[in-house]
Amino acid sequence: LINYWAHYGIHEDALRRFRVRSLKRYESISAEGRKFELYGSPTEPMFAYIGNGYVKIYRPHSPKIRFLYGGRMPATYCFGMEQIPAKGDMLFITGGEKDVMSLASHGFSALTFNSETANIPESIFEDLSKRFSKIIFLYDTDATGRKESELRVQQYREKYNVFKLDLPLAGSKSEKDISDFFRLG
């Protein structure tokens, strides 16, 4: 299952560093109180992003349930915060965990707040702006990603050194984010 990640330049060391595990089975209880199980396979892999007291399940090829959350999610979900350096020149804010790991595997600092439409608390943004010279929104090239990156730059540009980067990709399901950019070479 490591091959799934390797297409994006993500290798075992990055998966370990970001606490990502491959799962054969996930068992939990639904909000309605019913027990359920999900299974991973070579054709439909299942991965877990493991946080402190929670887990985010990722099933990239699932037609129904691609993401699932278990445990106690933090008030502000931020994947990659523990892995970024104390200071740096550039920080990329992306739309997803795979994008964060792709960027980190290529030598860039990155994090995500779970989606492009997520609200970033001002206190966190202020802290990040003190640690990094430039904060760059690198969202998907679909309509939502382009709109949200523009909104974030407008929201923060008066106070912080923020930019957006639009990738030269089609915006289709298989060609829309930085992970696809790396996969395509």
Side-chain angles (χ1 to χ4, degrees):
L1 296 175
I2 193 76
N3 289 340
Y4 170 78
W5 298 104
H7 294 292
Y8 306 104
I10 302 167
H11 300 288
E12 280 188 68
D13 59 331
L15 295 171
R16 259 192 303 282
R17 191 163 62 108
F18 284 92
R19 300 171 58 188
V20 178
R21 304 290 185 271
S22 176
L23 301 179
K24 290 182 181 177
R25 184 173 72 88
Y26 177 74
E27 176 182 314
S28 189
I29 298 173
S30 71
E32 296 80 31
R34 287 183 289 227
K35 184 178 174 180
F36 70 93
E37 295 179 0
L38 299 173
Y39 295 91
S41 71
T43 57
E44 197 171 308
M46 180 169 53
F47 304 100
Y49 301 115
I50 300 170
N52 295 321
Y54 69 89
V55 64
K56 180 177 178 180
I57 304 299
Y58 175 47
R59 302 171 69 209
H61 302 311
S62 176
K64 292 182 181 179
I65 303 171
R66 285 193 62 215
F67 297 103
L68 182 75
Y69 302 88
R72 295 180 198 265
M73 294 300 289
T76 300
Y77 176 86
C78 184
F79 181 85
M81 185 68 85
E82 295 171 14
Q83 290 79 13
I84 60 174
K87 288 203 168 282
D89 182 40
M90 292 184 297
L91 173 69
F92 288 96
I93 297 178
T94 72
E97 295 86 356
K98 183 173 59 174
D99 298 332
V100 168
M101 292 188 296
S102 289
L103 283 159
S105 294
H106 288 87
F108 299 99
S109 299
L111 49 82
T112 184
F113 290 92
N114 201 33
S115 86
E116 296 163 341
T117 58
N119 184 38
I120 304 169
E122 182 80 21
S123 59
I124 293 176
F125 207 87
E126 185 175 342
D127 176 61
L128 292 172
S129 72
K130 290 175 183 172
R131 295 169 57 186
F132 294 90
S133 305
K134 296 174 218 60
I135 298 175
I136 303 163
F137 290 93
L138 181 55
Y139 287 167
D140 291 359
T141 59
D142 60 9
T144 300
R146 289 183 187 275
K147 175 185 162 207
E148 291 298 325
S149 63
E150 183 61 39
L151 287 172
R152 296 294 168 264
V153 170
Q154 288 176 16
Q155 178 182 3
Y156 293 115
R157 73 174 162 213
E158 297 297 320
K159 294 171 85 175
Y160 309 109
N161 201 23
V162 295
F163 305 90
K164 70 182 185 93
L165 179 60
D166 293 323
L167 296 168
L169 298 174
S172 63
K173 189 78 172 157
S174 64
E175 192 177 316
K176 66 178 173 79
D177 58 31
I178 189 64
S179 298
D180 294 330
F181 184 80
F182 288 131
R183 178 181 53 81
L184 295 167

